[in-house]
Amino acid sequence: MQGEPLYDRMFLSAEPSWARLPFTYPPTAAVLFVPLALVPTQVAWGVLAAISLLLLTYVIKVCVEALPERPQWMEPTRTAVLLGVVLLGLEPVWRTVFLGQVNIVLMAMVVIDVLVLGARGSRFGGVLIGVAAAVKLTPLVFVGHLLLRKRWADAARAVVTFVVFQGLVYLLIRHDFSQFWGHAVQDPQRIGPIYWAGNQSLNGLVLRLTDNADWSMVVVAPIALVLAVPCALWVRRMSPLPALLVTAFFGLLVSPVSWSHHWVWAVPLVVFLLSRLPDRDPSRKQIAPTVAVVLVFASCVLLAMRNGKAVEFDWTVLEYVIGSAYLLVPLVAGAVLLARRR
């Protein structure tokens, strides 16, 4: 709203001294965020928080309805309200709300696109994924999901929507468009020290193991290709919700930066795990996966352990394990699934 370039400096002049952080989203996001700039910051935060919590509840409801088999007690509306309150205790969820992030909103857009519009064969399928990717590039991974699910038209609409938004931004703020795609997008370090424990991606782990080596993605890329093979097979063969979860967690693992609050996909994962429980008297073995996932994401362990100011480079082996808690969840789950397949 001040007419300042978004990427020429590391912060905007309107930001208070204690919150001087660079704008890291695509310029499309700045255009879409303009309505929030029309009201005081506190009001904007409250509106975004309310929308996020409502969408969180709706995501849970949609996920429950998408399950072909579930316990009788998992009635969609009741489960959505109950889990919507309980799962606020997960660190990715409450931190997203606390920091005024849009992770829940973006997750909801993808879930609605894949599980609602896709199930109905809507001619608007793919559009929400395209919009989500215009706000933040990582949802582009779900275009691959649509292709693997043979939703060709939806994948095309997602790409077209994304490109159209880029074209509009080019016409509106050409300088910022050029700066983002020419420079800012190629510099993940621009958003801060991404070796911090809060970066729960494979790239973050490699950076911590190699004292912030600038060639970390060279190591991550072949690992991502290896992981992509079983993930692609699972996406093609699984029912809609677990297939979507595979894509979401694959994207979190291979993204250069996946801050802890990006892991809001833990919510639909808990919904899916609960659906695997029997109607009555589940055993400890059956409950264990759900309890383990909730404990990991509710523990706030990444905030409690020593991190920041490069102390991650001096971690012990145990600290590396604990400090990789989030990214270990999909890796362990994938290993268990592969073992069962064998």
Side-chain angles (χ1 to χ4, degrees):
M1 298 293 289
Q2 304 296 327
E4 290 185 65
L6 293 172
Y7 309 103
D8 288 10
R9 297 197 301 166
M10 293 302 287
F11 60 89
L12 301 176
S13 61
E15 294 176 340
S17 59
W18 52 267
R20 287 186 170 175
L21 298 172
F23 188 80
T24 59
Y25 289 95
T28 324
V31 174
L32 293 174
F33 290 164
V34 164
L36 292 176
L38 300 176
V39 297
T41 303
Q42 295 85 346
V43 175
W45 178 88
V47 169
L48 183 58
I51 292 173
S52 296
L53 295 178
L54 288 173
L55 287 176
L56 180 72
T57 304
Y58 184 65
V59 163
I60 296 170
K61 183 175 183 292
V62 169
C63 290
V64 173
E65 292 173 339
L67 293 165
E69 297 179 4
R70 61 178 186 266
Q72 293 182 357
W73 51 264
M74 283 192 77
E75 191 277 325
T77 302
R78 184 172 60 249
T79 302
V81 173
L82 178 61
L83 289 184
V85 174
V86 172
L87 296 183
L88 275 174
L90 301 187
E91 186 263 342
V93 175
W94 67 256
R95 206 150 187 240
T96 287
V97 176
F98 175 76
L99 295 175
Q101 293 285 335
V102 294
N103 305 307
I104 295 173
V105 176
L106 298 182
M107 177 178 67
M109 295 173 72
V110 173
V111 167
I112 293 169
D113 201 321
V114 174
L115 299 182
V116 178
L117 299 181
R120 297 174 181 174
S122 171
R123 61 181 178 178
F124 296 105
V127 172
L128 289 178
I129 287 178
V131 175
V135 174
K136 195 171 185 176
L137 299 181
T138 47
L140 284 172
V141 71
F142 295 102
V143 176
H145 178 90
L146 295 176
L147 292 172
L148 288 170
R149 300 292 288 186
K150 299 183 179 180
R151 290 174 55 182
W152 316 116
D154 291 356
R157 278 190 289 265
V159 174
V160 169
T161 301
F162 176 79
V163 172
V164 167
F165 267 103
Q166 304 314 308
L168 291 174
V169 168
Y170 178 76
L171 295 175
L172 291 172
I173 43 177
R174 186 170 302 182
H175 175 75
D176 288 325
F177 178 91
S178 301
Q179 285 293 99
F180 177 78
W181 290 106
H183 303 285
V185 74
Q186 304 171 36
D187 182 18
Q189 297 280 355
R190 188 174 185 274
I191 65 176
I194 57 176
Y195 60 79
W196 282 352
N199 181 12
Q200 288 290 292
S201 68
L202 290 172
N203 184 49
L205 175 59
V206 173
L207 286 170
R208 291 189 283 275
L209 289 169
T210 60
D211 288 4
N212 204 28
D214 56 6
W215 40 261
S216 60
M217 286 303 294
V218 177
V219 176
V220 173
I223 298 175
L225 289 175
V226 172
L227 292 176
V229 175
C231 287
L233 293 174
W234 288 333
V235 169
R236 288 181 65 100
R237 296 173 182 176
M238 287 178 164
S239 58
L241 178 56
L244 179 60
L245 288 171
V246 169
T247 302
F249 284 109
F250 173 77
L252 287 167
L253 286 174
V254 303
S255 173
V257 181
S258 292
W259 296 122
S260 63
H261 52 81
H262 294 171
W263 288 73
V264 290
W265 287 94
V267 171
L269 174 59
V270 170
V271 173
F272 174 69
L273 291 174
L274 286 172
S275 74
R276 309 294 292 174
L277 298 177
D279 278 315
R280 294 183 178 180
D281 302 323
S283 66
R284 290 183 180 179
K285 184 177 180 180
Q286 291 170 318
I287 297 176
T290 308
V291 173
V293 169
V294 171
L295 287 177
V296 167
F297 290 103
S299 65
C300 298
V301 63
L302 300 178
L303 302 178
M305 65 186 305
R306 59 186 186 125
N307 62 85
K309 297 182 180 179
V311 297
E312 288 90 345
F313 303 145
D314 298 322
W315 275 358
T316 64
V317 174
L318 179 60
E319 284 177 311
Y320 270 110
V321 174
I322 297 174
S324 305
Y326 287 13
L327 66 91
L328 285 175
V329 169
L331 291 178
V332 171
V336 171
L337 189 56
L338 280 174
R340 287 182 177 178
R341 292 286 182 182
R342 287 182 179 277

